[in-house]
Structures are given as structure tokens and as C-alpha cells.
Amino acid sequence: MAEILVLVDHVDGAVRKTTTELLTLARRAGEPAAVFLGSGIDAARETLGRFGATKVYVADAPELNDYLVAPAAEVLAQIAAQANPAAVLVPSTPDGKEIAARLAVKLESGLITDAVDVAADLTTTQSAFAGGYTVNARVTHGTPIITVKPNSATPEPAETSPAEENVSVSVSDAATKAKVVDRAARQATGRPELTEAAIVVSGGRGTGGDFSAVESLADALGAAVGASRAAVDSGWYPHSHQVGQTGQTVSPQLYIAAGISGAIQHRAGMQTSKTIVAIDKDPEAPIFAMADFGVVGDLHTVLPQATEEITKRKG
Amino acid sequence: MKIVALVKHVPDAAADRTFNEADHTTDRTNVDGILSELDEYAVEAALKIAESGDAEVVALTMGPDAALDAVKRALQMGADSGAHVADDALHGSDAVATSAVLAAAIQKIGDVDLILTGMASTDGGMSVVPAMLAERLGLAHVGFVGELNVEAGSVRARRDADVTETVEAALPAIVSVTDQINEPRYPSFKGIMAAKKKPVETWSLADLGVDAGTVGLAAAWTTVETVTKRPERTQGEIVTDEGDGGAKLVEFLAGQKFV
Ligand SMILES: Cc1cc2nc3c(=O)[nH]c(=O)nc-3n(C[C@H](O)[C@H](O)[C@H](O)COP(=O)(O)OP(=O)(O)OC[C@H]3O[C@@H](n4cnc5c(N)ncnc54)[C@H](O)[C@@H]3O)c2cc1C
Ligand SMILES: Nc1ncnc2c1ncn2[C@@H]1O[C@H](COP(=O)(O)O)[C@@H](O)[C@H]1O
């Protein structure tokens, strides 16, 4: 069976859940081979093997850290040229998409972005037009390059002891033109990551700037916290938590929107959630039209009551 | 300094967007088109740089005849000139081909110092064309930029991607911007009048030296097999809070096994 390259998404070797999802999807279509770029392989090895990587390509060089994505794309292209894989799966993160874009040009291959499913024959499923359509597509030229959104598969363990191959890295001058002079550390909130969470509780302009009721309900449910652009633009919540067209796309089991009217740009980021709940004091708010359950009321009383009730039930 | 702002003409998200039944391409004829909202931020960023120094702004689009409207809008906002790549052979081009055509157009414009683009087009929404252009033109690309400074032959940008980064690159470079970067202006009456006199070039593939056989639907490296309209979400139960809204909410959640 041909290899399916999976680009590992990790923070200093801490493998993010998307990677185990991609390994699970890759197993349908071939032999998953993980590509680990940067430092921290010692911390990652066990997870990659547990989720079925039959091989791990490891490449580390300072350029991978010091410059934006172009060096990573170059290394991935080198590995792909050597491994001749049946496909390359890349996480649909901002970095992942840029790497995939450059790789498509380098390998002269078709690219599909934001897949939510990849079949054994490498047919993909995506959403189009803000979740209004479902599209099935295929790459017809070169090595299929597919970026896959978080939460697209349930990671299934398949214990292996992968062979490890160290890849020597040579990075061209062309790839070292965008220098990273400062990088913020990933903020640990103690809550699940927005795009990975099974439940998301989001607040909008209706919070009036006080997210404490949203956060308390999120914590009672073990959920991630999201925000509308109005709330982010007002400086009430960090941009990294914005849900929507220009923020994150989430597709959780349960999405709770509190004080969010439901503009199309917001819907674009949450429309494919399994169950949608809305709390808004305006019965005419468009969000109710897509809600499986809605409460017309003030979120500052409804959310705390719900939180208290959940805490009571948990005993 | 010469700045190219990439402007894509897209079906209005507020309209009922759909696909052509015959070939599964985006319907660009029966749905009202607009300048992709996210490209307005790129145009605004270009104009801000031009206003604070000495720069000319060229708005560039690739698309059918109607795509000229995207260029016109940029000219009304204040861009100096426009370029429109139009050719029947382009129908159905994928991102890889689009990037090849735009790269050829940028080379034809010549002596470009900075290319500004939106973070994603609001129809395809792939966020890949700028990085592909960078790959083809051998330039730096800084994506998802929420804050941008251009001085002394280089750019310094805040990139809001997986984490926040500060990035530096020498010009020429490609920068794609987010909706955090500025507040795009509305064209003024004066701007609308002035736009009528601004020069717009129209180029065919032959003008760019691009082989028509390498673009369009037949040459695309991806194919859409099926397109299915997702059933409209239907409204469930909506209750009005009468002091028990939170409790009712939890009852629903418990019924769905979330609690
Ligand atoms: C190019 C572009 C990109 C965009 N990208 C995004 C994006 O990624 N994500 C996004 O969210 N938006 C995005 N937007 C903005 C979007 O159009 C809306 O402006 C935004 O989503 C509105 O946020 P909101 O629902 O919180 O605010 P509003 O629309 O003002 O709604 C607030 C709601 O809160 C209710 N409310 C007020 N007080 C209370 C209370 N005490 N209790 C209960 N309810 C209350 C109100 O009745 C109202 O329904 C984008 C816009 C543009 C032009
Ligand atoms: N046909 C086009 N004409 C002009 N600019 C485009 C075109 N396609 C993409 N772009 C630019 O590239 C950005 C990203 O597009 P995409 O990769 O399609 O999401 C857009 O915001 C535009 O600035």
C-alpha cells in the first residue's frame, strides 16, 4: 500500500488532536506516514505510533522556527518527492493551508482545502457557501493534497511501532524571506480548544462586555468559549476565539449562542454544528430560525440559572 | 512604490448563492456579484500606504466581464488604475491556475513592490492564492495580517494565525490582510466621479503569454463530483423566559444527553 503523508500539527512535540484525526483518516486510504517538522519528536513518538503511523519522517532545522511556513513547505516537498505518497493530508490551520498551497505549486498537484471527510478512494467532502452546500470533490492531477478541518474524524488508536527516518534539511534562500521576530506563546485557558471542543458556548454583543456568565456555563459543560466579531471588535474577548467567516469555523455537537443575533458571517462559522441553542432577548433575532432550542430572555439571568441547574444535577 | 491590490468579484453572500448545474462551478451569472468584502481591507490597506507616502495602487482582478465591477469599486475607493484579466478559457479555473494567471499579470504590470490581498475570497474561501503567488514569484508571503507597517523597503506585520507573530520581510512581498487591519472606506461621490476617468487595462491570456490549455475547467487539477444543498435548518422549540428559562434550557440539554 502506498504511503499517505500526514503533516503533524504539534506544539514542541505535544501532538494536537487534529493529527490523530488525520492519521485515522489516512489509514482508510493507505499507510499513514507522519511528517514531524521541528523539535520535540521525543514527546510525540508514542502518540504517532498509537494512532497508526507506520513511519515517521523527522526533520528539524532552525529555519523551520525562524521563518514563516515556506521552509516547512520545502521540506515537505522534499519528503513527498522521495516517498511518492498517494496523498498528503495537512491540518486546515492557517499555517497548514499556506504550506499546502505552496506544496501544490511545487508538486504540480491539485489541492482541496477544508475537507471534513476523506474517503478510501480520496474523495473529499467539504462545505460550501457558509455551510449551505455539501460538495464532494477529487484531485485529478499529481499527488492529492488535502487540508482537513479539525473534528472531521474520531481518532481511533491502532498501535504500531513506526520506523523513524531522519530527513536532512536544506532550505533555500527563497524560503527564508519572511522572518519571525516574535511569537506569542500559545495561551492555555484550561478549556478545550475552540475548534476541537464537543461543546462551544459563545457570547456576543448582548453580553455587554461581561463574559463571566458565558464562561461559567462553558465550564459547567466542559465547553470552549467562542465570541462574535462584535464582541471581539469591542475588545471583550480575544480574536483567537472569534467564530465566523473571519474567525474559526466550529462544528461541535452543541453550539450555544448567547446575545448573538446570527449574522451570515457568524453563521458561516457555526452552521454545521449538530445542535444549536440560542439565548437572545430579541424574539426576532435571526439566530432563532436555526436554533434547535431557544430561550427569549436576558442572558445575564438565563445563563447563570442554567449553570446552577447543571451544577445541581451533577451533584 | 507600486502596490497591486488583488480584488476578486464574488457572488454576494447576502444573495442565494448556488452552483451551475451543468459543471458544478460557482454560479457567477445569475447571482449578484460584489467586490469580495475581504478584499476591501486589502484595498484600504493599499490606499493608507499610498496616502502616507508616494505610492500608486493598481487593482487587479481575474474573472468574467462582470468582474470589472470589482476593479471599478477599488478605483472608486481611490486606487489609481486597474487591470482585468478576462478570457472565456478561464471559466472553471482552480486556485492553482488562478495563481498562475495572476502571477503573469503581476509580472506584466511590472516593478511591483507590494501585493496586498484579502485573507480569503468569500466564495471559494480557500486562503491559498496568495501563498501560491508567493511560491510562483519567489517572494515572501505574510498571511493573516492584522497590523501592517511598510517602511524603508520592508514590511513589518502582526500575523494573527495559529498564534500571534511579528514578521519582517523585505520588499517586494505579498501580504494578505484580515478584517482586523482597518475599516474600509465607502467610495465618496468625488471618488465615484474620478473613477470614471481612471485607466483600466483588459488582458486576455494571450496578452499574458499564458497557454489557454493550462487553465479553465478542463485543465483543473481538482474536480467537483457532487453538489448537494444542505437542508435548511429548521426552528426547534423557542421558549420565553418567565423566570425558568435557564431550567428549561437544561431540561433540553439533558434530553439531548449533554448534561
Ligand atoms: C467582512 C466581514 C467579516 C465578518 N466576520 C465575522 C465573523 O467571523 N464572526 C462574526 O461573528 N461576525 C463577523 N462579521 C460581523 C457580522 O456581520 C455581525 O456584525 C456580528 O456577527 C454581530 O455580532 P453580534 O451578533 O454579537 O452582535 P449584534 O448583531 O449586535 O447582536 C447582539 C444580539 O444580542 C442581543 N442581546 C442584547 N442584550 C442582550 C441580553 N442582555 N441578553 C440576551 N440577548 C441580548 C440582541 O437582541 C442581539 O440579537 C463580519 C462582518 C464582515 C463585514
Ligand atoms: N480571481 C481573482 N482575482 C483577483 N484576486 C483574487 C482572485 N482569486 C483570489 N484572489 C485574491 O486572493 C485572495 C485569497 O483567495 P482564495 O485563495 O481564493 O481564498 C483573495 O482575497 C483575493 O485577494
Side-chain angles (χ1 to χ4, degrees), chain A residues 104-105 108-111, chain B residues 93-101 129 132 136 221:
Chain A
V105 173
E108 301 197 358
S109 294
L111 166 65
Chain B
S93 295
D94 61 5
V96 182
T98 300
S99 70
V101 173
V129 166
M132 287 178 172
R136 293 188 183 280
W221 291 349

Side-chain angles (χ1 to χ4, degrees), chain B residues 6-8 39 60-62 98 102 117-121 125-130:
Chain B
L6 289 186
V7 290
K8 189 177 183 188
D39 291 350
L60 169 63
T61 195
M62 173 194 120
T98 300
L102 290 172
T117 83
M119 62 176 272
S121 49
M126 295 178 75
S127 293
V128 297
V129 166

Side-chain angles (χ1 to χ4, degrees), chain A residues 242-257:
Chain A
Q242 182 176 317
V243 172
Q245 183 191 37
T246 51
Q248 310 286 335
T249 313
V250 299
S251 198
Q253 296 297 314
L254 170 65
Y255 187 85
I256 302 182

Side-chain angles (χ1 to χ4, degrees), chain A residues 106 127 131 136 246 273 305, chain B residues 135 179 225-226 228 230 233 246:
Chain A
K106 283 179 198 291
S127 278
N136 290 113
T246 51
S273 304
Q305 186 181 69
Chain B
E135 187 67 32
D179 60 339
E225 298 197 320
T226 62
T228 321
R230 198 186 292 270
R233 291 196 82 108

Side-chain angles (χ1 to χ4, degrees), chain A residues 47-122:
Chain A
T47 307
L48 299 177
R50 186 151 38 89
F51 286 92
T54 53
K55 191 168 185 179
V56 182
Y57 296 94
V58 183
D60 192 12
E63 289 90 342
L64 292 166
N65 190 53
D66 297 349
Y67 298 90
L68 285 187
V69 310
E74 242 176 44
V75 177
L76 189 53
Q78 283 161 24
I79 294 169
Q82 177 205 328
N84 196 20
V88 184
L89 304 188
V90 179
S92 259
T93 57
D95 284 9
K97 282 199 194 183
E98 282 187 43
I99 291 170
R102 285 178 175 272
L103 191 66
V105 173
K106 283 179 198 291
L107 299 183
E108 301 197 358
S109 294
L111 166 65
I112 287 172
T113 55
D114 295 324
V116 295
D117 198 13
V118 182
D121 67 353
L122 297 171

Side-chain angles (χ1 to χ4, degrees), chain A residues 201-238:
Chain A
V201 184
S202 289
R205 203 194 307 273
T207 61
D210 182 0
F211 262 67
S212 59
V214 171
E215 291 186 330
S216 301
L217 179 60
D219 291 341
L221 289 166
V225 174
S228 74
R229 178 173 167 196
V232 169
D233 283 356
S234 304
W236 301 340
Y237 227 69

Side-chain angles (χ1 to χ4, degrees), chain B residues 221-236:
Chain B
W221 291 349
T222 51
T223 179
V224 172
E225 298 197 320
T226 62
V227 165
T228 321
K229 196 165 168 51
R230 198 186 292 270
E232 297 278 337
R233 291 196 82 108
T234 48
Q235 195 178 59

Side-chain angles (χ1 to χ4, degrees), chain A residues 16 68-69 73 93-98 100-102 104-106 108-114 123 126-141 174 177-186 198-199 217 221 229 232-233 239 242 245-247 253-254 256 264-265 270-277 279 288-298 301-303 305-307 309-310 313, chain B residues 11 13-15 17-19 26-27 37-38 41 94-96 99 119 121-129 131-144 156 159-170 172 176 178-180 182-183 220-231 233-254 256 258-259:
Chain A
R16 297 175 84 188
L68 285 187
V69 310
T93 57
D95 284 9
K97 282 199 194 183
E98 282 187 43
R102 285 178 175 272
V105 173
K106 283 179 198 291
E108 301 197 358
S109 294
L111 166 65
I112 287 172
T113 55
D114 295 324
T123 305
Q126 303 103 264
S127 278
F129 296 152
Y133 284 82
T134 304
V135 170
N136 290 113
R138 263 156 48 80
V139 171
T140 52
H141 186 275
K177 290 188 167 171
K179 188 166 173 48
V180 179
V181 293
D182 187 45
R183 182 177 283 134
R186 221 175 262 275
I199 303 178
L217 179 60
L221 289 166
R229 178 173 167 196
V232 169
D233 283 356
H239 179 251
Q242 182 176 317
Q245 183 191 37
T246 51
Q253 296 297 314
L254 170 65
I256 302 182
I264 182 151
Q265 295 93 347
M270 43 70 77
Q271 185 136 277
T272 59
S273 304
K274 194 105 189 297
T275 299
I276 295 173
V277 169
I279 301 99
F288 284 127
M290 61 188 306
D292 298 290
F293 187 83
V295 181
V296 178
D298 189 331
T301 54
V302 175
L303 297 193
Q305 186 181 69
T307 306
E309 178 67 24
I310 292 168
R313 288 188 186 219
Chain B
R17 295 180 293 179
T18 182
F19 293 89
T26 301
D27 187 342
E37 270 176 319
L38 295 175
Y41 297 89
D94 61 5
V96 182
S99 70
M119 62 176 272
S121 49
T122 55
D123 53 351
M126 295 178 75
S127 293
V128 297
V129 166
M132 287 178 172
L133 275 175
E135 187 67 32
R136 293 188 183 280
L137 298 170
L139 301 179
H141 171 237
V142 191
F144 300 98
R156 190 180 167 92
R159 177 175 188 258
D160 299 321
D162 297 322
V163 293
T164 298
E165 293 157 314
T166 307
V167 182
E168 282 177 359
S176 46
T178 72
D179 60 339
Q180 302 280 303
N182 55 41
E183 199 51 62
W221 291 349
T222 51
T223 179
V224 172
E225 298 197 320
T226 62
V227 165
T228 321
K229 196 165 168 51
R230 198 186 292 270
R233 291 196 82 108
T234 48
Q235 195 178 59
E237 188 189 356
I238 310 293
V239 301
T240 300
D241 179 33
E242 280 156 359
D244 58 352
K248 283 194 166 147
L249 172 57
V250 176
E251 251 168 60
F252 171 80
L253 295 180
Q256 303 282 316
F258 289 115
V259 176

